[in-house]
Amino acid sequence: MATELRLPTHTIVRPDKDTFLDEDNPFEAMMLRFDQAAELLDLEPGLYRVLRNPEKQIIVSIPVMMDNGEVEVFTGYRVLYNTSRGPAKGGIRFDLQVTLEEVKALAAWMTWKCAVVNIPFGGSKGGVVCDPHTMSASELERLTRRYTAGIINVLGPDSDVPAPDVNTNERVMAWIMDTYSMHVGHTTTAVVTGKPVEMGGSLGRREATGRGCMIVVKEALAHLGMPVKGTTVAVQGFGNVGSVAAQLLHAEGCKVVAIGDRSVSYYDPNGIDVNAAIAYVSKRRHLDGYGKGEVISGADLLTLDVDVLVPAALENVITTKNAGDIRARIICEGANGPTSAAADSILEENGVFVVPDILANAGGVTVSYFEWVQDRGGYFWTEQLVNDRLRDIMVHSFQAVLSLSKQHKVNMRTAAYMLAISRVATVHRLRGVYA
Ligand code: GLU
């Protein structure tokens, strides 16, 4: 793969904090990394312009009858960033922080992520500005169905395929699948992934993002000559990604010494009982009150003296404010965009090996691809087969990015962007510009 990329002919312009109007703007963060990689690839100006712009951006107002009889209006977004390599693919999040800029960045990241692991999808993302924790199940169902109706013209197994993301889950995917199927007049399982297994979901999908993190952490440890057994790990975020990553790393022999979610963080130098913490959260929905270990702040969790740090929550938790204090040797980005672009160079100067989000958390969309394939074939795989194929793709992708990073003497993030952009660019060149 590496040989098809042109050698750099320019000096790399490294983003630093003075480059930024707003370090926290995720779209700007994505674009800075894109620009760096595009420059190294010597991307032709026309293609550069095409790839800097989302293909389609949808904003919908979503009226919802609340349980108290009042009608509330929510705002929802769906952005299709690029569909040159296949149907758009990407999750839907329900969160008060959702903005169009964020959804655009996340949709672009999905494009690069699918290209890094070489699955035949483009990238998209959706979001609804709401606080799902304060809404009843029936309010969430009405919100989901009305949002789906609002974006229905872009959805479809061949055009745009949603999946779970922050604060959405299998149940939400079931409502989307049902709403879409009612509109088109027949059951269409392949319109979403991350569905319940009983209705066309894939075995292993729920664990896939965390499993992918575990796989790349082991690859990174091997690359750096570090053992797996006894390696200390801190995990920020204890949802679908963080809890499974912690559980699987623990099962591999790592010592998970810190976990945290939005309610509390715990530190225990002797190792957290990850399975007990997961059992607690499955009953209480958050870690608060779990009680075993020393309570620390979420900020302190990030700067603990550990071998591996897994930020698996939201964007921009590692910025110029704390990047210099990070003591982990490896960062595995379970979340999308946890590191600001300005923080990248600080981490690099300090010798932190970063497995970037578009590689580290690609396990989820990889098994989404397997789910879509299974739905379309109507033939379902064993969990072992899913996990084996996931491992093959994650290991192969990690090694492809690593060899590119060595070849071009760039960090893993830049190498991952270079690999992704080159694959998307190749398809654009082959397809040409329709006029
Ligand atoms: N929301 C996940 C992500 O950010 C999964 C997307 C998908 O499976 O389509 O990668």
mmCIF file with all atom_site columns, all heavy atoms in Angstrom, residues 89-91 110 113 125 161-165 193 205 336 361 364-365 368, ligand 1:
data_model
loop_
_atom_site.group_PDB
_atom_site.id
_atom_site.type_symbol
_atom_site.label_atom_id
_atom_site.label_alt_id
_atom_site.label_comp_id
_atom_site.label_asym_id
_atom_site.label_entity_id
_atom_site.label_seq_id
_atom_site.pdbx_PDB_ins_code
_atom_site.Cartn_x
_atom_site.Cartn_y
_atom_site.Cartn_z
_atom_site.occupancy
_atom_site.B_iso_or_equiv
_atom_site.pdbx_formal_charge
_atom_site.auth_seq_id
_atom_site.auth_comp_id
_atom_site.auth_asym_id
_atom_site.auth_atom_id
_atom_site.pdbx_PDB_model_num
ATOM   1   N N   . LYS A 1 89  ? -21.772 5.824  5.840  1.00 0.00 ? 89  LYS A N   1
ATOM   2   C CA  . LYS A 1 89  ? -21.885 4.989  7.036  1.00 0.00 ? 89  LYS A CA  1
ATOM   3   C C   . LYS A 1 89  ? -21.496 5.819  8.238  1.00 0.00 ? 89  LYS A C   1
ATOM   4   O O   . LYS A 1 89  ? -20.451 6.470  8.228  1.00 0.00 ? 89  LYS A O   1
ATOM   5   C CB  . LYS A 1 89  ? -20.940 3.770  6.907  1.00 0.00 ? 89  LYS A CB  1
ATOM   6   C CG  . LYS A 1 89  ? -21.118 2.761  8.007  1.00 0.00 ? 89  LYS A CG  1
ATOM   7   C CD  . LYS A 1 89  ? -22.286 1.853  7.741  1.00 0.00 ? 89  LYS A CD  1
ATOM   8   C CE  . LYS A 1 89  ? -22.676 1.034  8.969  1.00 0.00 ? 89  LYS A CE  1
ATOM   9   N NZ  . LYS A 1 89  ? -23.479 1.808  9.950  1.00 0.00 ? 89  LYS A NZ  1
ATOM   10  N N   . GLY A 1 90  ? -22.294 5.774  9.272  1.00 0.00 ? 90  GLY A N   1
ATOM   11  C CA  . GLY A 1 90  ? -21.910 6.495  10.488 1.00 0.00 ? 90  GLY A CA  1
ATOM   12  C C   . GLY A 1 90  ? -23.040 6.569  11.493 1.00 0.00 ? 90  GLY A C   1
ATOM   13  O O   . GLY A 1 90  ? -24.213 6.480  11.137 1.00 0.00 ? 90  GLY A O   1
ATOM   14  N N   . GLY A 1 91  ? -22.662 6.744  12.726 1.00 0.00 ? 91  GLY A N   1
ATOM   15  C CA  . GLY A 1 91  ? -23.608 6.687  13.840 1.00 0.00 ? 91  GLY A CA  1
ATOM   16  C C   . GLY A 1 91  ? -24.494 7.917  13.973 1.00 0.00 ? 91  GLY A C   1
ATOM   17  O O   . GLY A 1 91  ? -24.363 8.905  13.244 1.00 0.00 ? 91  GLY A O   1
ATOM   18  N N   . MET A 1 110 ? -15.598 9.528  9.809  1.00 0.00 ? 110 MET A N   1
ATOM   19  C CA  . MET A 1 110 ? -16.128 8.228  9.357  1.00 0.00 ? 110 MET A CA  1
ATOM   20  C C   . MET A 1 110 ? -15.604 7.891  7.960  1.00 0.00 ? 110 MET A C   1
ATOM   21  O O   . MET A 1 110 ? -15.287 6.740  7.655  1.00 0.00 ? 110 MET A O   1
ATOM   22  C CB  . MET A 1 110 ? -17.666 8.224  9.358  1.00 0.00 ? 110 MET A CB  1
ATOM   23  C CG  . MET A 1 110 ? -18.333 8.133  10.713 1.00 0.00 ? 110 MET A CG  1
ATOM   24  S SD  . MET A 1 110 ? -17.795 6.788  11.806 1.00 0.00 ? 110 MET A SD  1
ATOM   25  C CE  . MET A 1 110 ? -18.045 5.353  10.796 1.00 0.00 ? 110 MET A CE  1
ATOM   26  N N   . LYS A 1 113 ? -12.071 6.840  8.402  1.00 0.00 ? 113 LYS A N   1
ATOM   27  C CA  . LYS A 1 113 ? -12.029 5.588  9.174  1.00 0.00 ? 113 LYS A CA  1
ATOM   28  C C   . LYS A 1 113 ? -12.352 4.382  8.277  1.00 0.00 ? 113 LYS A C   1
ATOM   29  O O   . LYS A 1 113 ? -11.644 3.380  8.285  1.00 0.00 ? 113 LYS A O   1
ATOM   30  C CB  . LYS A 1 113 ? -13.062 5.695  10.307 1.00 0.00 ? 113 LYS A CB  1
ATOM   31  C CG  . LYS A 1 113 ? -12.952 4.641  11.379 1.00 0.00 ? 113 LYS A CG  1
ATOM   32  C CD  . LYS A 1 113 ? -14.108 4.763  12.398 1.00 0.00 ? 113 LYS A CD  1
ATOM   33  C CE  . LYS A 1 113 ? -14.164 6.105  13.083 1.00 0.00 ? 113 LYS A CE  1
ATOM   34  N NZ  . LYS A 1 113 ? -15.192 6.135  14.152 1.00 0.00 ? 113 LYS A NZ  1
ATOM   35  N N   . LYS A 1 125 ? -22.612 11.084 9.495  1.00 0.00 ? 125 LYS A N   1
ATOM   36  C CA  . LYS A 1 125 ? -22.885 11.125 10.936 1.00 0.00 ? 125 LYS A CA  1
ATOM   37  C C   . LYS A 1 125 ? -24.183 11.874 11.148 1.00 0.00 ? 125 LYS A C   1
ATOM   38  O O   . LYS A 1 125 ? -24.568 12.721 10.332 1.00 0.00 ? 125 LYS A O   1
ATOM   39  C CB  . LYS A 1 125 ? -21.762 11.878 11.666 1.00 0.00 ? 125 LYS A CB  1
ATOM   40  C CG  . LYS A 1 125 ? -21.661 11.534 13.141 1.00 0.00 ? 125 LYS A CG  1
ATOM   41  C CD  . LYS A 1 125 ? -21.012 10.181 13.320 1.00 0.00 ? 125 LYS A CD  1
ATOM   42  C CE  . LYS A 1 125 ? -20.717 9.847  14.751 1.00 0.00 ? 125 LYS A CE  1
ATOM   43  N NZ  . LYS A 1 125 ? -19.757 8.745  14.862 1.00 0.00 ? 125 LYS A NZ  1
ATOM   44  N N   . VAL A 1 161 ? -26.328 4.485  5.948  1.00 0.00 ? 161 VAL A N   1
ATOM   45  C CA  . VAL A 1 161 ? -26.631 3.425  6.917  1.00 0.00 ? 161 VAL A CA  1
ATOM   46  C C   . VAL A 1 161 ? -26.209 3.854  8.324  1.00 0.00 ? 161 VAL A C   1
ATOM   47  O O   . VAL A 1 161 ? -25.022 3.804  8.660  1.00 0.00 ? 161 VAL A O   1
ATOM   48  C CB  . VAL A 1 161 ? -25.896 2.115  6.518  1.00 0.00 ? 161 VAL A CB  1
ATOM   49  C CG1 . VAL A 1 161 ? -26.289 0.972  7.445  1.00 0.00 ? 161 VAL A CG1 1
ATOM   50  C CG2 . VAL A 1 161 ? -26.164 1.748  5.066  1.00 0.00 ? 161 VAL A CG2 1
ATOM   51  N N   . PRO A 1 162 ? -27.147 4.292  9.166  1.00 0.00 ? 162 PRO A N   1
ATOM   52  C CA  . PRO A 1 162 ? -26.787 4.715  10.527 1.00 0.00 ? 162 PRO A CA  1
ATOM   53  C C   . PRO A 1 162 ? -26.391 3.552  11.441 1.00 0.00 ? 162 PRO A C   1
ATOM   54  O O   . PRO A 1 162 ? -26.549 2.369  11.101 1.00 0.00 ? 162 PRO A O   1
ATOM   55  C CB  . PRO A 1 162 ? -28.068 5.375  11.063 1.00 0.00 ? 162 PRO A CB  1
ATOM   56  C CG  . PRO A 1 162 ? -28.890 5.683  9.870  1.00 0.00 ? 162 PRO A CG  1
ATOM   57  C CD  . PRO A 1 162 ? -28.541 4.612  8.863  1.00 0.00 ? 162 PRO A CD  1
ATOM   58  N N   . ALA A 1 163 ? -25.904 3.922  12.614 1.00 0.00 ? 163 ALA A N   1
ATOM   59  C CA  . ALA A 1 163 ? -25.466 2.962  13.640 1.00 0.00 ? 163 ALA A CA  1
ATOM   60  C C   . ALA A 1 163 ? -25.511 3.690  14.983 1.00 0.00 ? 163 ALA A C   1
ATOM   61  O O   . ALA A 1 163 ? -25.711 4.904  15.034 1.00 0.00 ? 163 ALA A O   1
ATOM   62  C CB  . ALA A 1 163 ? -24.040 2.498  13.336 1.00 0.00 ? 163 ALA A CB  1
ATOM   63  N N   . PRO A 1 164 ? -25.313 2.975  16.078 1.00 0.00 ? 164 PRO A N   1
ATOM   64  C CA  . PRO A 1 164 ? -25.281 3.660  17.383 1.00 0.00 ? 164 PRO A CA  1
ATOM   65  C C   . PRO A 1 164 ? -24.051 4.544  17.539 1.00 0.00 ? 164 PRO A C   1
ATOM   66  O O   . PRO A 1 164 ? -23.021 4.318  16.912 1.00 0.00 ? 164 PRO A O   1
ATOM   67  C CB  . PRO A 1 164 ? -25.221 2.501  18.397 1.00 0.00 ? 164 PRO A CB  1
ATOM   68  C CG  . PRO A 1 164 ? -25.617 1.281  17.649 1.00 0.00 ? 164 PRO A CG  1
ATOM   69  C CD  . PRO A 1 164 ? -25.203 1.516  16.226 1.00 0.00 ? 164 PRO A CD  1
ATOM   70  N N   . ASP A 1 165 ? -24.170 5.538  18.389 1.00 0.00 ? 165 ASP A N   1
ATOM   71  C CA  . ASP A 1 165 ? -23.049 6.395  18.780 1.00 0.00 ? 165 ASP A CA  1
ATOM   72  C C   . ASP A 1 165 ? -23.357 6.857  20.211 1.00 0.00 ? 165 ASP A C   1
ATOM   73  O O   . ASP A 1 165 ? -24.109 6.183  20.920 1.00 0.00 ? 165 ASP A O   1
ATOM   74  C CB  . ASP A 1 165 ? -22.906 7.561  17.783 1.00 0.00 ? 165 ASP A CB  1
ATOM   75  C CG  . ASP A 1 165 ? -21.530 8.206  17.837 1.00 0.00 ? 165 ASP A CG  1
ATOM   76  O OD1 . ASP A 1 165 ? -20.559 7.632  17.325 1.00 0.00 ? 165 ASP A OD1 1
ATOM   77  O OD2 . ASP A 1 165 ? -21.411 9.293  18.432 1.00 0.00 ? 165 ASP A OD2 1
ATOM   78  N N   . THR A 1 193 ? -27.089 -0.558 11.260 1.00 0.00 ? 193 THR A N   1
ATOM   79  C CA  . THR A 1 193 ? -26.309 -1.622 11.913 1.00 0.00 ? 193 THR A CA  1
ATOM   80  C C   . THR A 1 193 ? -26.291 -1.334 13.410 1.00 0.00 ? 193 THR A C   1
ATOM   81  O O   . THR A 1 193 ? -26.689 -0.253 13.844 1.00 0.00 ? 193 THR A O   1
ATOM   82  C CB  . THR A 1 193 ? -24.874 -1.687 11.354 1.00 0.00 ? 193 THR A CB  1
ATOM   83  O OG1 . THR A 1 193 ? -24.256 -0.410 11.565 1.00 0.00 ? 193 THR A OG1 1
ATOM   84  C CG2 . THR A 1 193 ? -24.872 -2.033 9.882  1.00 0.00 ? 193 THR A CG2 1
ATOM   85  N N   . ARG A 1 205 ? -21.135 -7.301 17.466 1.00 0.00 ? 205 ARG A N   1
ATOM   86  C CA  . ARG A 1 205 ? -21.149 -5.880 17.112 1.00 0.00 ? 205 ARG A CA  1
ATOM   87  C C   . ARG A 1 205 ? -21.049 -4.992 18.343 1.00 0.00 ? 205 ARG A C   1
ATOM   88  O O   . ARG A 1 205 ? -20.342 -3.992 18.339 1.00 0.00 ? 205 ARG A O   1
ATOM   89  C CB  . ARG A 1 205 ? -22.416 -5.521 16.309 1.00 0.00 ? 205 ARG A CB  1
ATOM   90  C CG  . ARG A 1 205 ? -22.600 -4.023 16.046 1.00 0.00 ? 205 ARG A CG  1
ATOM   91  C CD  . ARG A 1 205 ? -21.464 -3.435 15.218 1.00 0.00 ? 205 ARG A CD  1
ATOM   92  N NE  . ARG A 1 205 ? -21.515 -1.986 15.043 1.00 0.00 ? 205 ARG A NE  1
ATOM   93  C CZ  . ARG A 1 205 ? -21.039 -1.104 15.902 1.00 0.00 ? 205 ARG A CZ  1
ATOM   94  N NH1 . ARG A 1 205 ? -20.453 -1.502 17.030 1.00 0.00 ? 205 ARG A NH1 1
ATOM   95  N NH2 . ARG A 1 205 ? -21.114 0.187  15.647 1.00 0.00 ? 205 ARG A NH2 1
ATOM   96  N N   . ASN A 1 336 ? -13.996 9.406  19.281 1.00 0.00 ? 336 ASN A N   1
ATOM   97  C CA  . ASN A 1 336 ? -13.684 10.171 18.071 1.00 0.00 ? 336 ASN A CA  1
ATOM   98  C C   . ASN A 1 336 ? -13.187 11.549 18.494 1.00 0.00 ? 336 ASN A C   1
ATOM   99  O O   . ASN A 1 336 ? -13.853 12.231 19.275 1.00 0.00 ? 336 ASN A O   1
ATOM   100 C CB  . ASN A 1 336 ? -14.936 10.324 17.206 1.00 0.00 ? 336 ASN A CB  1
ATOM   101 C CG  . ASN A 1 336 ? -15.371 9.002  16.601 1.00 0.00 ? 336 ASN A CG  1
ATOM   102 O OD1 . ASN A 1 336 ? -14.580 8.302  15.977 1.00 0.00 ? 336 ASN A OD1 1
ATOM   103 N ND2 . ASN A 1 336 ? -16.633 8.644  16.800 1.00 0.00 ? 336 ASN A ND2 1
ATOM   104 N N   . ASN A 1 361 ? -10.581 3.165  16.860 1.00 0.00 ? 361 ASN A N   1
ATOM   105 C CA  . ASN A 1 361 ? -11.976 2.807  17.150 1.00 0.00 ? 361 ASN A CA  1
ATOM   106 C C   . ASN A 1 361 ? -12.719 2.282  15.921 1.00 0.00 ? 361 ASN A C   1
ATOM   107 O O   . ASN A 1 361 ? -13.951 2.212  15.915 1.00 0.00 ? 361 ASN A O   1
ATOM   108 C CB  . ASN A 1 361 ? -12.722 3.966  17.845 1.00 0.00 ? 361 ASN A CB  1
ATOM   109 C CG  . ASN A 1 361 ? -12.975 5.154  16.927 1.00 0.00 ? 361 ASN A CG  1
ATOM   110 O OD1 . ASN A 1 361 ? -13.300 4.997  15.755 1.00 0.00 ? 361 ASN A OD1 1
ATOM   111 N ND2 . ASN A 1 361 ? -12.848 6.352  17.471 1.00 0.00 ? 361 ASN A ND2 1
ATOM   112 N N   . GLY A 1 364 ? -15.712 -0.892 15.502 1.00 0.00 ? 364 GLY A N   1
ATOM   113 C CA  . GLY A 1 364 ? -17.177 -0.794 15.490 1.00 0.00 ? 364 GLY A CA  1
ATOM   114 C C   . GLY A 1 364 ? -17.729 -0.787 14.075 1.00 0.00 ? 364 GLY A C   1
ATOM   115 O O   . GLY A 1 364 ? -18.596 -1.590 13.719 1.00 0.00 ? 364 GLY A O   1
ATOM   116 N N   . VAL A 1 365 ? -17.190 0.105  13.255 1.00 0.00 ? 365 VAL A N   1
ATOM   117 C CA  . VAL A 1 365 ? -17.729 0.196  11.894 1.00 0.00 ? 365 VAL A CA  1
ATOM   118 C C   . VAL A 1 365 ? -17.322 -1.027 11.064 1.00 0.00 ? 365 VAL A C   1
ATOM   119 O O   . VAL A 1 365 ? -18.031 -1.417 10.128 1.00 0.00 ? 365 VAL A O   1
ATOM   120 C CB  . VAL A 1 365 ? -17.358 1.532  11.219 1.00 0.00 ? 365 VAL A CB  1
ATOM   121 C CG1 . VAL A 1 365 ? -15.900 1.566  10.768 1.00 0.00 ? 365 VAL A CG1 1
ATOM   122 C CG2 . VAL A 1 365 ? -18.283 1.805  10.047 1.00 0.00 ? 365 VAL A CG2 1
ATOM   123 N N   . SER A 1 368 ? -19.908 -3.363 11.830 1.00 0.00 ? 368 SER A N   1
ATOM   124 C CA  . SER A 1 368 ? -21.109 -2.851 11.161 1.00 0.00 ? 368 SER A CA  1
ATOM   125 C C   . SER A 1 368 ? -21.113 -3.301 9.697  1.00 0.00 ? 368 SER A C   1
ATOM   126 O O   . SER A 1 368 ? -22.156 -3.663 9.141  1.00 0.00 ? 368 SER A O   1
ATOM   127 C CB  . SER A 1 368 ? -21.150 -1.317 11.195 1.00 0.00 ? 368 SER A CB  1
ATOM   128 O OG  . SER A 1 368 ? -21.670 -0.859 12.415 1.00 0.00 ? 368 SER A OG  1
HETATM 129 N N1  . GLU B 2 .   ? -20.483 5.306  15.894 1.00 0.00 ? 1   GLU B N1  1
HETATM 130 C C1  . GLU B 2 .   ? -19.410 4.414  15.587 1.00 0.00 ? 1   GLU B C1  1
HETATM 131 C C2  . GLU B 2 .   ? -18.194 5.175  15.112 1.00 0.00 ? 1   GLU B C2  1
HETATM 132 O O1  . GLU B 2 .   ? -18.037 6.338  15.378 1.00 0.00 ? 1   GLU B O1  1
HETATM 133 C C3  . GLU B 2 .   ? -19.834 3.300  14.640 1.00 0.00 ? 1   GLU B C3  1
HETATM 134 C C4  . GLU B 2 .   ? -20.303 3.766  13.300 1.00 0.00 ? 1   GLU B C4  1
HETATM 135 C C5  . GLU B 2 .   ? -20.897 2.654  12.446 1.00 0.00 ? 1   GLU B C5  1
HETATM 136 O O2  . GLU B 2 .   ? -20.803 1.500  12.844 1.00 0.00 ? 1   GLU B O2  1
HETATM 137 O O3  . GLU B 2 .   ? -21.435 2.983  11.401 1.00 0.00 ? 1   GLU B O3  1
HETATM 138 O O4  . GLU B 2 .   ? -17.309 4.609  14.524 1.00 0.00 ? 1   GLU B O4  1
#
